[in-house]
């Protein structure tokens, strides 16, 4: 059975998964939730309507029955000489019986028609004869009533309708007492009208308007007998728009006991049952069960739910069966009352008739049931697609049955915990089965708590220079301030230590230092949250000494992001000018200490690269960018601008940067490699009139570089530094712009992005390849900060040393020292590196590329010692076995390639290929004995492989539930169920890693977060510590060999964060309460 159950999962794993864009996914999720709410509201409204109808109908029907009960009692049952008659009721079906009248039926065929039990009951009927309105011939040879099995209607129902005033004609006459039941049929001698009831259904029987019922009751009480002569009772029912409604009769069940007591007290013969608790027999869905009357549902909807639950629980069915053995059948007791209890009351007959009216073969019932099933299935599918639904399977044998039942029940949990217990997690409607290990005995009692370990940001690798300007400043404390991702770094260049400001919620884009050289302003981009909604950008003003936030401005005012910020100079930095990333690039001036906006204006539709206050006049502001340089005047709460006129000089495409020199002139660097000097000119009073202010005009042009000039820096001595783009040169100019000395930056570091003066001749240079160089013209420049320049994916930690390796789309493979916080070496490959893993001996490392090629590098020499290609699609994972004898390569062609390893990881031989996944491989892990592999794929499969047995797929996954794994990086598995948030779509978690001591598991998600969970984490919605810092999706996480640090890797933000793992001596209760504090301290990343 295990093999069969697993084969079903293998078949279900055959479908491939499409990955829509996030916006479409969120819209679909929202629409699904709205559809669910609509269906639930509709069901609730229908249930309330039914309850209201029942509340209005039951009193009227009860009043009606009480009013007609004496006549019904006389026509239904009578007690003669202390003896009770046993009326006969047939439940069998005879299609030929309605075609002939009861008077024509020979008495000898009675036993054949009603069956042996009914015939025996007929022979035992005794009593005194009574007068009958029928012919004497019929009285001499009475035939018991033979009812149509299609309607399941018995004589008690007919008797009740006859004597309640519905019909006065004896179309069907029944006699009890000492005389056997006799039937007289209407004029044509056929009970054809009884067949008309066969088209009724429970849903059709509902009365939506109580006035119809009230009018029918009044008519039945006031109609004269002669009005109904000659018409069968069913015709009269159709006239009054009243149909036989089983739901009405079902609603009377709650009132049957008190009614019986009232009626029996009037006759002096109480009705008794053989048990203290009355029992009703409920029939539905092809099953019959006995339930206590006090628990009987009050509506057909509730009854259906009860029946469904009873069918789903074998234990309840077992108890029901026990009741059936000990409790006599209600039907049998009511059909054959004892002499002590007397004959049946009218209400008892009605209750019995109601059961017979339940038609199991009605086509309308089937249609209604199919529609209800379709609606439930639709609702179940939508619920499954919007959330992770967990269902517990009671055993391996029931997995197929549970797969069908659980998919339609949101979050239902069934079954008992046994050796074969499994968990089903649904991702995008697909069930993922995971078996509970044998060492977990009480799964339900497991408590998920945050781990006692915490993360503290230890080091940030990288610098954002590729697309940002003026973001490198040296503070008097000896720290250089810059940013990458969501982190503002303060790096002490002599002590080689870092501090971090972590209050931003998305990537930082710009930076400005206050004139006091202590306070710092940083602006960020907007970003989006996990639901795809845009977040609001803002500017933070904070103290660089204490890292305390002083002010937050612009929340709700800026759009998309903040591109430039600048403090005023002459007024002690009281004002801050900000330009956002909206289409109009709104420019605003703020009194930042009060958080009050002073002025605002649309600047330009073109990109803005630079923004500065005039050091000598806060009322003068300059901006530059694409095809423009603007001179702004801020006066009286308003901003006005004048565009710089190039005149006879060629207008460049971009004005990249500018600086104020000592005499108040403005120097600009453009995309043509020229330095333009803008000098003040007298105001044109003739043209502009009185009040006109002085303007800036080009007075000199100096050719400085080949290609763009990205930065200009004014030194303390009055000299000028310019940094080139294309030529990668840094040139020092005298005060009169005469070149003095130059130096070229190595090509590997890129072009010059920004320059900061240190002391003497020492400089700091930020480059476009995300590096910070330190040096001088005489001694040259060396990197003190380095990083990747494109999206990162590959990450591997050394098996016994504090080093790790990274690779990404920039084709760089970098080996980092975690203890020295430096780059050991880097090399450039021909293709993009996407995954990596160290050999257990630590001497070589394998790197998988995006072309199906993988290489093995010697970490000492950086040389490629092996080079192989498997397929032509990208590789997503490479993993060495714990003993180093195998290498597994997971590809996007759905295969796992296995190689044997020899010569200390320098020689490889193809051993086999694991074939069975229906989508690309995402993650894999080796067992501790290096024999088995667990793998995940893009369509959320979990498969197990016997490598040493010939790369065979283990179809009985139940046998792998207790297997121990050397590493745990698979994002799908029993031990990591709790890491998935509710509503995850299967791609929200990019990577995870279990610590070597198997205490915690770190998770990298798509929302810029790093999570730390306890391990194992087998229950949903497990608590965790959340850490922010990345400004893009976190692509990978790995623990170092001794679990002292965790390395996390950003995607588009190109950052690598090194976290220190700290064991906090807190009890579990304090850990839960402090989980939110850690996220506040580390900020948020939208």
């Amino acid at each position: 059975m295990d093999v069969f159950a697993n084969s079903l999962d293998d078949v279900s794993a055959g479908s491939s998964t499409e990955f829509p864009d996030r916006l479409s996914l969120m819209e679909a999720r929202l629409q699904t939730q709205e559809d669910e709410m609509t269906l639930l509201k509709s069901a609730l409204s229908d249930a309330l309507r039914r309850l209201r109808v029942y509340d209005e109908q039951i009193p009227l029907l009860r009043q009606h029955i009480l009013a007609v009960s004496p006549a019904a009692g006389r026509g239904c049952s009578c007690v003669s000489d202390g003896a009770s008659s046993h009326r006969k009721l047939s439940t069998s079906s005879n299609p030929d019986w309605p075609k002939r009248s009861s008077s024509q039926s020979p008495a000898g065929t009675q036993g054949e028609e009603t069956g042996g039990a009914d015939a025996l009951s007929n022979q035992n009927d005794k009593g005194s004869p009574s007068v009958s309105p029928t012919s004497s011939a019929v009285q001499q040879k009475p035939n018991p009533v033979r009812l149509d099995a299609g309607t399941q209607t018995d004589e008690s129902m007919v008797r009740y309708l006859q004597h309640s005033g519905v019909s006065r004609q004896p179309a069907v006459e029944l006699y009890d007492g000492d005389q056997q039941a006799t039937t007289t049929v209407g004029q044509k001698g056929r009970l054809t009208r009884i067949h008309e009831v066969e088209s009724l259904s429970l849903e059709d029987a509902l009365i939506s308007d109580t006035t119809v019922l009230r009018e029918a009751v009044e008519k039945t009480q006031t109609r004269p007998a002669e009005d109904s002569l000659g018409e069968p009772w069913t015709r009269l029912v159709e006239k009054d728009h009243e149909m036989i409604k089983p739901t009405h009769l079902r609603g009377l069940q709650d009132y049957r006991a008190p009614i019986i007591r009232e009626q029996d007290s009037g006759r002096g013969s109480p009705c008794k049952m053989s048990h203290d608790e009355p029992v009703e027999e409920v029939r539905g869905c092809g099953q019959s069960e006995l339930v206590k009357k006090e628990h009987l549902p009050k509506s057909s909807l509730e009854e259906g739910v009860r029946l469904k639950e009873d069918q789903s629980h074998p234990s309840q069915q077992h108890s029901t069966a026990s009741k059936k053995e000990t409790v006599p059948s209600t039907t049998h007791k009511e059909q054959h009352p004892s002499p002590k209890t007397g004959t049946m009351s009218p209400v008892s007959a009605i209750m019995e008739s109601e059961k017979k009216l339940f038609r199991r073969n009605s086509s309308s019932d089937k249609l209604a049931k199919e529609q209800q099933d379709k609606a439930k299935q639709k609702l179940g599918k939508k619920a499954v697609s919007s959330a992770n639904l967990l269902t517990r399977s009671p055993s391996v044998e029931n997995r197929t049955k549970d797969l069908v039942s659980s998919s339609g029940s949101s979050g239902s949990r069934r079954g008992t915990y046994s050796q074969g217990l499994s968990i089903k997690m649904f991702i995008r409607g697909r069930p993922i089965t995971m078996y509970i290990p044998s060492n977990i005995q009480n799964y339900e009692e497991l408590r998920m708590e945050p781990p006692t370990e915490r993360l503290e940001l230890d080091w940030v690798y990288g610098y954002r220079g590729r697309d940002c300007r003026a973001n490198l400043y040296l503070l008097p404390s000896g720290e250089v301030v810059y940013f990458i991702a969501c982190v503002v770094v303060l790096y002490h260049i002599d002590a080689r230590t870092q501090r971090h400001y972590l209050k931003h919620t998305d990537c930082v884009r710009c930076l400005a230092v206050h004139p006091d050289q202590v306070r710092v302003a940083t602006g960020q981009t907007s970003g989006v949250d996990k639901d795809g909604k845009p977040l609001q950008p803002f500017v933070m003003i904070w103290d660089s000494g204490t890292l305390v936030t002083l002010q937050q401005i612009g929340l709700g005012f800026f759009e998309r992001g903040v591109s430039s910020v600048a403090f005023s100079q002459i007024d002690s930095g009281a004002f801050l000018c900000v330009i956002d990333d909206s289409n109009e690039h709104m420019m605003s001036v703020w009194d930042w200490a009060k958080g009050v906006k002073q002025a605002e204006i649309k600047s330009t539709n073109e990109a803005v690269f630079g923004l500065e206050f005039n050091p000598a006049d806060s009322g003068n502001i300059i901006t530059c960018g694409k095809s423009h340089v603007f001179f702004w005047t801020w006066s009286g709460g308003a901003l006005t601008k004048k565009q710089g006129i190039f005149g006879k000089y060629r207008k460049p495409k971009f004005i990249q940067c500018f600086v104020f020199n000592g005499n108040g002139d403005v120097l600009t660097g453009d995309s043509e490699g020229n330095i333009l000097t803008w000098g003040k000119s007298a105001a044109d009073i003739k043209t502009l009139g009185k009040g006109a202010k002085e303007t800036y005009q080009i007075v000199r042009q100096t050719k400085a570089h080949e290609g763009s000039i990205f930065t200009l820096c004014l030194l303390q001595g009055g000299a000028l530094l310019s940094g080139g783009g294309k030529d990668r040169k840094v040139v020092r100019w005298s005060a009169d712009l005469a070149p003095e000395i130059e130096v070229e930056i190595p090509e590997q570091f890129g072009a010059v992005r920004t320059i900061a003066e240190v002391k003497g001749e020492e400089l700091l240079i930020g480059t476009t390849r995300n590096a910070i160089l330190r040096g001088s013209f005489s001694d040259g420049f060396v990197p003190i900060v380095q990083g990747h320049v494109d999206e990162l994916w590959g990450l591997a930690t050394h098996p016994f040393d504090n080093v790790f390796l990274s690779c990404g789309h920039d084709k760089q493979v970098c080996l980092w020292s975690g203890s020295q916080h430096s780059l050991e070496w880097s090399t450039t490959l021909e293709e993009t590196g996407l995954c990596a893993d160290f050999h257990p001996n630590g001497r070589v490392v394998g790197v998988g590329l995006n072309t199906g090629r993988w290489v093995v590098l010697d970490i000492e020499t950086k040389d490629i010692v092996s080079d192989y290609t498997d397929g032509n699609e990208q590789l997503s994972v490479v993993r060495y076995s714990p003993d180093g004898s195998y290498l597994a390569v997971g590809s996007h062609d759905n295969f796992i390639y296995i190689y044997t390893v020899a010569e200390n990881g320098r020689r490889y031989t193809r051993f086999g290929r694991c074939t069975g996944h229906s989508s690309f491989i995402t993650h894999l892990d080796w067992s501790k004995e290096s024999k088995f592999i667990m793998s995940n794929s893009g369509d959320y499969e979990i498969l197990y492989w016997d490598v040493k047995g010939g790369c065979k797929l283990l179809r009985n996954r139940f046998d792998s539930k207790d297997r121990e794994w050397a590493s745990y990086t698979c994002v799908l598995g029993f031990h990591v169920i709790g890491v998935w948030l509710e509503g995850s779509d299967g791609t929200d978690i990019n990577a995870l890693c279990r610590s070597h001591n198997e205490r915690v598991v770190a998770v990298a998600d798509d929302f810029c977060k790093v999570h730390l969970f306890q391990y194992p984490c087998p229950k949903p919605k497990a608590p965790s510590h959340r850490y922010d810092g990345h400004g893009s999706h976190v692509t990978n996480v790995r623990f170092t060999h001794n679990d002292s640090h965790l390395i996390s890797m950003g995607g588009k933000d190109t950052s690598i964060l090194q976290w220190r793992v700290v064991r906090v001596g807190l009890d579990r209760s304090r850990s839960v309460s402090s989980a939110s504090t850690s996220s506040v301290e580390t900020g948020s990343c939208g």
Side-chain angles (χ1 to χ4, degrees):
M1 181 59 68
D2 294 338
V3 176
F4 172 73
N6 283 282
S7 64
L8 288 178
D9 288 339
D10 296 334
V11 173
S12 66
S15 61
S16 60
T17 304
E18 298 180 358
F19 297 90
D21 61 285
R22 186 166 299 280
L23 179 60
S24 300
L25 181 61
M26 296 306 167
E27 291 177 352
R29 186 179 300 171
L30 179 61
Q31 184 63 39
T32 299
Q33 294 175 352
E34 292 177 353
D35 293 343
E36 293 175 14
M37 293 178 63
T38 302
L39 291 174
L40 291 175
K41 289 180 180 179
S42 176
L44 179 60
S45 176
D46 183 67
L48 293 175
R49 181 185 65 79
R50 292 172 183 236
L51 290 176
R52 287 195 300 269
V53 170
Y54 295 154
D55 292 340
E56 295 174 355
Q57 292 175 355
I58 288 174
L60 295 175
L61 288 175
R62 185 181 181 186
Q63 180 181 2
H64 182 202
I65 293 173
L66 291 176
V68 301
S69 59
R74 288 191 300 270
C76 175
S77 60
C78 61
V79 179
S80 177
D81 298 332
S84 62
S85 62
H86 296 266
R87 65 183 177 87
K88 186 179 338 356
L89 178 64
S90 174
T91 59
S92 61
S93 175
N94 190 342
D96 297 332
W97 174 78
K99 297 181 180 180
R100 61 179 183 270
S101 64
S102 58
S103 60
Q104 296 173 350
S105 301
T109 62
Q110 180 63 33
E112 298 176 1
E113 293 180 354
T114 60
D118 292 337
L120 181 61
S121 176
N122 186 28
Q123 294 174 5
N124 294 333
D125 288 343
K126 295 179 180 180
S128 58
S130 59
V131 181
S132 173
T134 56
S135 62
S136 59
V138 177
Q139 294 181 13
Q140 292 175 2
K141 294 183 179 181
N143 290 327
V145 177
R146 177 67 174 180
L147 300 178
D148 184 15
T151 60
Q152 300 280 326
T153 307
D154 64 357
E155 66 269 25
S156 61
M157 184 63 196
V158 178
R159 185 186 302 113
Y160 163 70
L161 293 172
Q162 204 175 12
H163 291 280
S164 62
V166 177
S167 178
R168 303 299 184 187
Q169 178 180 346
V172 179
E173 295 186 0
L174 305 173
Y175 292 89
D176 268 339
D178 298 336
Q179 178 182 349
Q180 292 184 347
T182 306
T183 303
T184 300
V185 187
Q187 297 175 357
K188 295 185 178 181
R190 299 179 182 272
L191 292 177
T192 56
R193 293 301 178 184
I194 296 180
H195 285 277
E196 297 181 10
V197 188
E198 188 173 1
S199 62
L200 298 176
S201 65
L202 292 178
E203 294 297 325
D204 297 334
L206 290 175
I207 294 181
S208 59
D209 189 358
T210 57
T211 58
V212 177
L213 178 61
R214 188 176 292 107
E215 292 175 359
V217 172
E218 294 175 357
K219 290 180 180 180
T220 55
Q221 293 177 351
T222 60
R223 182 187 295 112
E226 58 273 10
D227 292 344
S228 59
L229 293 177
E231 290 189 62
W233 61 272
T234 52
R235 178 70 57 83
L236 296 176
V237 171
E238 293 174 351
K239 276 187 175 183
D240 293 336
H241 304 284
E242 264 194 280
M243 301 172 66
I244 297 177
K245 302 184 180 300
T247 51
H248 298 172
L249 303 175
R250 186 180 303 279
L252 294 175
Q253 290 175 354
D254 296 336
Y255 295 89
R256 187 180 70 166
I259 293 174
I260 293 175
R261 287 194 294 269
E262 293 176 4
Q263 294 176 350
D264 291 338
S265 61
R267 293 193 302 268
S269 57
C271 178
K272 297 181 181 179
M273 297 189 68
S274 61
H275 295 271
D276 295 336
E277 293 182 351
V279 178
E280 289 289 341
E281 181 178 359
V282 183
R283 297 185 181 272
C285 302
Q287 295 185 359
S288 175
E289 301 185 12
L290 295 175
V291 296
K292 294 181 179 180
K293 183 178 184 297
E294 61 182 2
H295 296 150
L296 203 63
K298 295 184 178 182
S299 66
S300 60
L301 178 62
E302 295 176 353
E303 181 187 13
V305 174
R306 174 67 57 84
L307 291 174
K308 182 177 180 180
E309 292 177 354
D310 293 343
Q311 295 169 11
S312 303
H313 296 278
S315 59
Q316 295 184 9
Q317 294 178 1
H318 178 72
S319 62
T320 304
S322 302
K323 289 182 180 181
K324 288 183 178 181
E325 294 175 2
T326 58
V327 181
S329 173
T330 305
T331 305
H332 180 73
K333 287 184 64 62
E334 292 182 356
Q335 290 178 2
H336 306 281
S338 64
K340 295 181 181 181
T341 60
T343 58
M344 287 192 305
S345 64
V347 180
S348 300
I350 293 173
M351 295 302 103
E352 181 64 23
S353 304
E354 183 271 331
K355 291 183 294 183
K356 301 305 177 182
L357 275 169
F358 193 87
R359 296 169 313 285
R360 290 169 292 182
N361 299 324
S362 172
S363 59
S364 59
D365 286 345
K366 291 183 179 180
L367 181 60
K369 184 177 180 181
E370 290 177 358
Q371 293 176 351
Q372 292 177 358
D373 292 342
K374 290 181 180 179
K376 291 180 181 179
Q377 292 176 3
K378 183 178 181 181
L379 178 60
K381 291 180 180 179
K382 292 184 177 180
V384 165
S385 64
S386 63
N388 288 336
L389 307 179
L390 299 176
T391 304
R392 297 194 291 270
S393 179
S395 63
V396 181
E397 289 77 10
N398 293 334
R399 292 176 69 232
T400 305
K401 177 181 178 181
D402 189 69
L403 177 63
V404 178
S405 61
S406 63
S407 62
S409 56
S410 176
S412 61
R413 293 186 174 96
R414 296 191 180 95
T416 58
Y417 298 102
S418 61
Q419 184 180 7
L421 192 66
S422 65
I423 299 297
K424 278 190 175 67
M425 180 175 72
F426 288 84
I427 296 183
R428 300 184 68 180
R430 182 187 184 114
I432 305 171
T433 302
M434 290 160 280
Y435 293 101
I436 298 180
S438 300
N439 59 354
I440 298 180
Q441 300 298 328
N442 299 316
Y443 176 80
E444 187 71 17
E445 299 177 3
L446 290 178
R447 291 185 57 193
M448 295 291 99
E449 299 178 352
T452 56
E453 289 80 359
R454 300 293 185 87
L455 299 181
E456 294 179 356
L457 187 57
D458 178 43
W459 201 265
V460 177
Y461 299 88
Y463 155 76
R464 185 166 183 171
R466 70 187 189 277
D467 59 351
C468 293
R469 297 169 171 79
N471 60 351
L472 185 64
Y473 295 90
L474 183 67
L475 304 179
S477 61
E479 295 173 311
V480 56
V481 56
Y482 60 93
F483 56 78
I484 183 172
C486 301
V487 184
V488 183
V489 182
L490 294 98
Y491 174 53
H492 199 290
I493 58 177
D494 294 327
R496 300 186 64 184
T497 59
Q498 280 187 358
R499 294 188 299 141
H500 311 101
Y501 180 75
L502 299 167
K503 298 300 182 181
H504 283 281
T505 61
D506 212 284
C507 291
V508 182
R509 291 290 309 279
C510 56
L511 182 151
V513 177
H514 193 271
D516 63 7
Q517 298 293 299
V518 176
R519 286 170 284 190
V520 179
T522 49
Q524 70 168 58
T525 187
S526 60
V528 295
D529 62 10
K530 65 179 182 179
D531 295 325
K533 298 179 180 179
L535 299 176
Q536 295 178 335
F538 52 81
V539 175
M540 287 289 195
I541 297 96
W542 48 280
D543 190 301
S544 63
T546 61
L547 300 180
V548 174
T549 301
L550 304 176
Q551 187 65 270
Q552 181 190 59
I553 65 172
L555 187 64
F557 290 93
F558 306 137
E559 294 183 14
R560 297 182 184 173
V562 179
S563 61
S564 300
V565 292
F567 282 103
S568 60
Q569 301 291 324
I570 196 172
D571 51 11
S572 300
F575 300 101
L576 183 73
C577 188
V578 183
I579 297 179
D580 69 8
D581 273 335
S582 62
N583 292 336
E584 296 82 10
H585 294 90
M586 298 300 295
M587 178 178 175
S588 56
V589 179
W590 298 75
D591 184 342
W592 66 264
K594 298 179 181 179
V596 178
K597 182 168 59 176
Q598 303 293 319
E600 185 179 25
I601 192 174
K602 296 179 181 179
S603 63
T604 178
N605 290 331
E606 303 292 348
V608 179
F609 298 150
L611 167 67
E612 286 291 343
F613 279 90
N614 191 324
D617 182 7
S618 296
N620 181 240
I621 305 172
I622 299 179
T623 63
C624 69
K626 181 178 179 181
S627 302
H628 77 272
V629 54
F630 293 147
F631 299 91
W632 299 85
T633 300
W634 175 36
S635 177
L639 287 165
T640 59
K641 71 177 178 181
K642 289 185 177 180
Q643 186 170 358
I645 306 301
F646 291 90
K648 64 180 181 179
Y649 299 98
R650 180 181 177 182
K651 184 178 181 179
K653 186 175 182 180
F654 297 99
I655 305 296
Q656 303 277 11
C657 54
F658 68 91
V659 68
F660 290 91
N661 63 9
N663 56 14
D665 293 338
V666 178
L667 305 178
T668 62
D670 57 39
S671 57
E672 302 295 330
N674 298 321
I675 298 177
L676 300 178
T677 304
W678 300 74
K680 292 182 179 180
S681 61
D684 188 359
I685 300 177
K686 294 182 179 180
T687 305
L688 302 177
K690 294 182 179 181
K693 295 185 178 181
E694 57 187 10
T695 60
Y696 286 88
Q697 294 182 350
I698 299 176
V699 297
R700 182 179 178 183
Q701 176 177 293
T702 303
K703 183 64 176 179
H705 293 271
E706 295 181 7
S708 295
I709 299 175
F710 285 153
T711 183
L712 293 173
C713 177
L714 188 66
L715 301 179
Q716 294 180 356
L720 178 70
L721 295 177
S722 63
K726 185 177 180 179
D727 58 10
R728 306 188 312 279
K729 291 182 179 180
V730 177
V731 181
R732 186 173 68 187
W733 305 81
S734 63
D736 59 354
L737 293 182
E740 295 181 347
I741 191 173
E742 66 180 38
V743 64
E744 183 176 344
I745 302 301
E747 183 179 1
Q748 68 187 70
F749 301 119
V752 179
R753 179 61 75 186
T754 185
I755 302 174
E757 184 179 9
V758 181
K759 56 184 178 180
E761 294 185 352
E762 195 171 14
L763 303 174
L764 292 175
I765 299 175
T767 71
T768 57
R769 293 189 64 83
N770 296 345
I772 299 178
L773 310 179
R774 182 182 181 182
S776 62
F777 287 99
S778 58
D779 298 333
F781 293 87
V782 294
I784 59 173
V785 176
Q786 290 179 267
H788 286 271
V789 296
D790 207 343
E791 187 172 358
L792 300 177
W793 281 97
L795 176 63
T797 53
H798 198 274
F800 52 83
D801 200 359
N802 289 324
V803 298
F804 61 92
L805 182 138
S806 63
C807 57
H809 289 188
D810 58 0
K811 302 179 182 180
Q812 295 290 317
V813 177
C814 300
L815 185 70
W816 307 85
S817 172
S819 56
Q820 299 297 321
H821 304 138
S822 61
L823 178 67
E824 294 289 325
W825 55 258
S826 66
T827 185
T828 303
L829 301 178
E830 297 177 359
E831 295 97 7
T832 297
L834 298 177
C835 51
D837 191 41
F838 280 93
H839 189 274
N841 63 18
R843 299 177 184 175
V844 296
V845 59
V847 180
L849 308 179
N850 66 331
T851 59
R853 177 188 173 205
W854 56 275
V855 297
V856 179
L857 302 176
D858 189 309
I859 66 171
E860 296 293 336
T861 64
K862 301 186 294 183
D863 296 334
I864 297 177
V865 297
S866 295
D867 190 341
Y868 296 88
T869 300
D870 290 306
N872 56 3
E873 298 191 37
Q874 69 182 49
L875 304 180
S876 52
V877 55
V878 292
R879 185 83 67 236
Y880 284 96
S881 62
D883 60 5
S885 60
Y886 293 99
L887 173 67
V889 180
S891 173
H892 269 230
D893 61 7
N894 306 354
F895 300 134
I896 301 175
Y897 300 91
I898 306 298
Y899 285 81
T900 57
V901 183
E903 299 179 5
N904 293 323
R906 294 178 178 271
R907 187 169 65 87
Y908 297 82
T909 305
R910 172 76 75 85
F911 177 77
R913 186 178 69 175
C914 298
T915 303
H917 273 292
S918 56
S919 184
F920 57 90
I921 312 300
T922 58
H923 308 83
L924 65 85
D925 291 292
W926 284 91
S927 62
K928 290 186 177 180
E929 66 273 19
S930 301
K931 294 181 179 179
F932 302 95
I933 285 179
M934 172 176 58
S935 59
N936 293 166
S937 62
D939 57 352
Y940 323 126
E941 286 179 318
I942 307 174
L943 298 185
Y944 300 91
W945 311 87
D946 182 0
V947 175
K948 287 195 174 181
C951 301
K952 296 180 180 179
L953 174 64
L954 300 176
R955 298 192 176 275
N956 188 357
R957 291 181 290 162
F958 176 79
D959 295 339
S960 300
K961 64 185 179 65
D962 293 327
R963 189 161 288 121
E964 296 183 355
W965 304 99
S967 62
Y968 211 115
T969 61
C970 288
V971 298
L972 297 174
F974 170 78
H975 296 84
V976 293
I977 292 175
V979 306
W980 289 91
L981 300 178
E982 186 175 357
S984 298
D985 67 350
T987 62
D988 292 339
I989 294 180
N990 297 313
L992 61 80
C993 180
R994 183 193 65 191
S995 61
H996 296 85
N997 58 18
E998 301 186 8
R999 291 180 53 87
V1000 294
V1001 58
V1003 175
D1005 68 15
D1006 250 0
F1007 312 112
C1008 316
K1009 305 295 186 294
V1010 175
H1011 298 262
L1012 195 66
F1013 293 85
Q1014 76 173 26
Y1015 182 88
C1017 186
K1019 299 194 74 175
K1021 299 181 180 179
S1024 68
H1025 301 305
R1026 189 190 71 177
Y1027 300 93
D1028 309 316
H1030 287 286
S1032 178
H1033 53 288
V1034 186
T1035 56
N1036 219 329
V1037 286
R1038 286 291 184 274
F1039 284 96
T1040 56
H1041 70 99
N1042 56 2
D1043 295 330
S1044 62
H1045 292 82
L1046 174 73
I1047 311 298
S1048 64
M1049 177 179 291
K1052 291 292 186 179
D1053 64 16
T1054 71
S1055 64
I1056 300 176
L1057 305 186
Q1058 179 173 306
W1059 307 85
R1060 185 184 300 109
V1061 181
V1062 180
R1063 181 79 180 274
V1064 181
L1066 298 177
D1067 56 31
R1068 290 297 187 183
S1069 61
R1070 293 184 61 188
S1071 297
V1072 173
S1073 62
S1074 61
S1076 60
T1077 305
S1078 64
S1079 64
V1080 174
E1081 291 176 351
T1082 58
S1084 176
C1085 194

